[in-house]
Amino acid sequence: MTNFDYLKKEKDFDSFVDIAIVAEKTYKIDVSTCIINCRRALEAGIKWMYSVDADLDVPYQDNLHTLMNTRAFKSITDDDIWKRIEFIRRYGNEAVHTSTTKTASIAKICLRNLFYFTDFIAYCYGNNYEEREFDESLLEQEEVAPVKVVPDVDLEALIAENKSLKEELSSRRVQQQETYVAKPLDLSEFKTRKLYIDAMLMDAGWVEGKDWINEVELEGMPNKSEVGYADYVLYDDMNIPLAVIEAKRSCKDPAVGRQQAKLYADLLENDTFNKTGYRHH
C-alpha cells in the first residue's frame, strides 16, 4: 500500500498514478531512484493537466521546466504547490545528472510534495474527492513484489486520448478550485529549510564544497564566545567570498536575517582583506 493508491479509483488519472506508486515503492530500495521517479510522476501529472484543462495551452517546448513555468499553469496552482513541485524538479534533475549520494530526507520531502500535488489534482479534477494526509509510516514497508517499469508520458498522445474529457474536467476544475484549501509548506525545521535553499543553489550551478560552503566559522561576533557560523558562504574562482546566505524561518522578520548576514559579510570581508589584501567593492 502507498499514499497514492487511492488515485487508482479515478480512471482519468491512469497516466500518472502508476509512476507515483513506483516512486514510493522504490524509497526503501534506492532513494535516488525514488527522487527520479517523483520527478517523472510530477511531469506525468502536469502533462495530464495540460491534456484536460482548456486554460492550459502547450508552450513552445513540452519539457517539465517550461510546462510548469507558464503564466496559465502558475495561475492555476497556488504558490505553495508550485514551491513543492519546484523542489521535486530540482532534486530530480540533480539525481539524474550526478552520482552524488542523496539522503532519505530529500526523498521523503519529494514524496510528500508529490502527494500534495496529486491531492490538488484529485480535489480540482476528481469526481469523488476524500480528504487525506500524507502517511510517512507507509514508507517503511518492505517492498516484496517486483516494482513495475512505467514508461514516460507522451503529451501529444495524451492530449488526443483525453480530448473528450477536456470540457468536463476544465469546468469541474474551475468550480472545485474555488473551495480548495492550500496546504502550506512547513519550513520550521532548519534541515528542511536548508534542503530548499540547497536545491536553489544547485539549480543555479553552485557546487557544495567547491564554491559553496556551509557553516563557516567566523570570529569577532558580538557575543560571549565571539564566534558565529554563517549558514552559507558562496565563493568565486579565486576562493574569495562573494555572498552570505542565512536560512531563517519564514515567520521571522527578514530584517533580522539581513542584519545577521551583513554582520557575517563584514567579518568575511575583513578576514579576506587581512589574508589577501583583497576587498570586494
Side-chain angles (χ1 to χ4, degrees):
M1 180 179 179
T2 75
N3 283 284
F4 303 98
D5 287 1
Y6 79 96
L7 294 166
K8 298 286 272 184
K9 295 177 183 177
E10 298 255 9
K11 184 166 175 45
D12 293 342
F13 300 156
D14 282 355
S15 64
F16 63 86
V17 60
D18 284 339
I19 309 179
I21 289 172
V22 166
E24 185 165 323
K25 285 185 174 182
T26 52
Y27 170 79
K28 291 289 284 185
I29 301 170
D30 180 74
V31 293
S32 289
T33 302
C34 169
I35 294 166
I36 291 169
N37 279 314
C38 283
R39 187 198 180 285
R40 292 182 63 232
L42 169 65
E43 184 168 351
I46 290 177
K47 285 182 175 179
W48 181 86
M49 287 175 64
Y50 272 87
S51 76
V52 300
D53 199 307
D55 287 338
L56 293 175
D57 294 322
V58 179
Y60 66 100
Q61 289 182 318
D62 66 358
N63 59 57
L64 177 57
H65 182 268
T66 306
L67 291 172
M68 60 185 279
N69 277 284
T70 64
R71 184 177 299 177
F73 182 83
K74 284 188 169 184
S75 71
I76 289 175
T77 55
D78 65 50
D79 190 52
D80 284 314
I81 289 289
W82 197 88
K83 286 176 181 174
R84 288 183 186 278
I85 64 178
E86 177 66 353
F87 183 94
I88 298 172
R89 184 193 70 81
R90 284 172 167 159
Y91 275 109
N93 285 353
E94 218 259 338
V96 168
H97 297 299
T98 74
S99 58
T100 308
T101 303
K102 305 299 177 294
T103 66
S105 298
I106 296 172
K108 282 182 181 178
I109 295 175
C110 284
L111 285 167
R112 180 182 295 275
N113 288 352
L114 179 64
F115 172 83
Y116 285 113
F117 171 63
T118 56
D119 178 76
F120 169 81
I121 289 178
Y123 188 97
C124 293
Y125 298 93
N127 203 25
N128 297 290
Y129 178 81
E130 293 179 19
E131 189 169 356
R132 50 181 49 80
E133 293 295 326
F134 183 75
D135 184 355
E136 195 169 300
S137 68
L138 294 178
L139 307 185
E140 302 308 317
Q141 298 176 113
E142 294 292 341
E143 180 59 33
V144 290
V147 177
K148 65 188 289 188
V149 176
V150 183
D152 290 332
V153 171
D154 181 281
L155 181 53
E156 283 190 20
L158 195 62
I159 289 172
E161 180 183 333
N162 291 334
K163 188 175 181 180
S164 62
L165 297 173
K166 182 166 278 194
E167 183 177 350
E168 177 188 354
L169 294 192
S170 297
S171 175
R172 186 185 297 169
R173 191 267 302 165
V174 170
Q175 183 178 5
Q176 295 182 175
Q177 187 180 1
E178 291 182 0
T179 55
Y180 175 75
V181 178
K183 316 300 196 292
L185 282 168
D186 180 10
L187 298 181
S188 56
E189 279 192 16
F190 174 78
K191 287 182 179 179
T192 304
R193 282 199 307 282
K194 185 180 179 307
L195 287 174
Y196 274 83
I197 296 170
D198 286 1
M200 288 186 281
L201 288 173
M202 287 186 298
D203 202 48
W206 297 95
V207 179
E208 185 176 0
K210 180 186 176 185
D211 50 20
W212 135 36
I213 298 178
N214 298 323
E215 294 293 302
V216 176
E217 182 177 322
L218 297 169
E219 297 181 355
M221 288 291 291
N223 56 31
K224 190 174 181 180
S225 67
E226 297 187 350
V227 173
Y229 294 87
D231 292 336
Y232 298 81
V233 179
L234 308 182
Y235 295 84
D236 66 14
D237 292 339
M238 296 175 62
N239 204 35
I240 302 296
L242 293 173
V244 174
I245 300 173
E246 284 299 293
K248 298 299 181 189
R249 293 187 185 185
S250 57
C251 59
K252 289 276 190 181
D253 185 346
V256 175
R258 277 197 298 271
Q259 181 57 36
Q260 189 170 356
K262 183 181 184 306
L263 182 57
Y264 288 150
D266 289 342
L267 292 173
L268 273 167
E269 185 175 35
N270 290 334
D271 182 59
T272 302
F273 179 75
N274 291 334
K275 290 177 179 176
T276 67
Y278 182 88
R279 190 185 297 274
H280 273 298
H281 297 285

